[in-house]
């Protein structure tokens, strides 16, 4: 009977420690900015153009992603 109580207390203590550790971890978000794509060719029209812009930015230019703003393809990068 005491073994079950000890195990239960140990398990409860383990949960408390895990929750405290999790709250102590701080997340840092990197600041991002948009720059015009140097490799995107074609029209930045509709969702297809925006998808192609995002692919060019991530695959060819090696940046985080991108999208169309008006008729211009803007890539997202860490500033």
């Amino acid at each position: 009977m005491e073994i079950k109580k000890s195990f239960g207390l140990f398990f409860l203590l383990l949960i408390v420690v895990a929750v405290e550790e999790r709250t102590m971890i701080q997340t840092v978000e990197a600041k991002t900015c948009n720059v015009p794509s140097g490799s995107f060719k074609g029209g930045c029209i509709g969702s297809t153009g925006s998808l192609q812009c995002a692919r060019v930015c991530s695959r060819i230019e090696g940046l985080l992603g991108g999208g169309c703003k008006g008729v211009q393809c803007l890539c997202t990068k860490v500033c």
Side-chain angles (χ1 to χ4, degrees), residues 65-77:
C68 293
K69 303 284 183 181
V71 294
Q72 186 177 26
C73 176
L74 296 176
C75 298
T76 305
K77 70 173 193 169

Side-chain angles (χ1 to χ4, degrees), residues 26-78:
Q26 294 180 357
T27 58
V28 177
E29 292 185 26
K31 185 177 178 183
T32 59
C33 54
N34 294 327
V35 294
S37 172
S39 303
F40 183 74
K41 305 286 188 245
C44 213
I45 300 170
S47 60
T48 304
S50 192
L51 286 173
Q52 289 178 351
C53 170
R55 285 186 191 123
V56 167
C57 290
S58 61
R59 292 182 183 167
I60 295 175
E61 298 187 21
L63 300 174
L64 299 175
C68 293
K69 303 284 183 181
V71 294
Q72 186 177 26
C73 176
L74 296 176
C75 298
T76 305
K77 70 173 193 169
V78 177

Side-chain angles (χ1 to χ4, degrees), residues 5-21:
K5 286 182 182 178
S6 296
F7 181 74
L9 184 61
F10 173 75
F11 187 70
L12 183 62
L13 182 64
L14 184 64
I15 290 174
V16 169
V17 169
V19 169
E20 279 190 35
E21 286 291 322

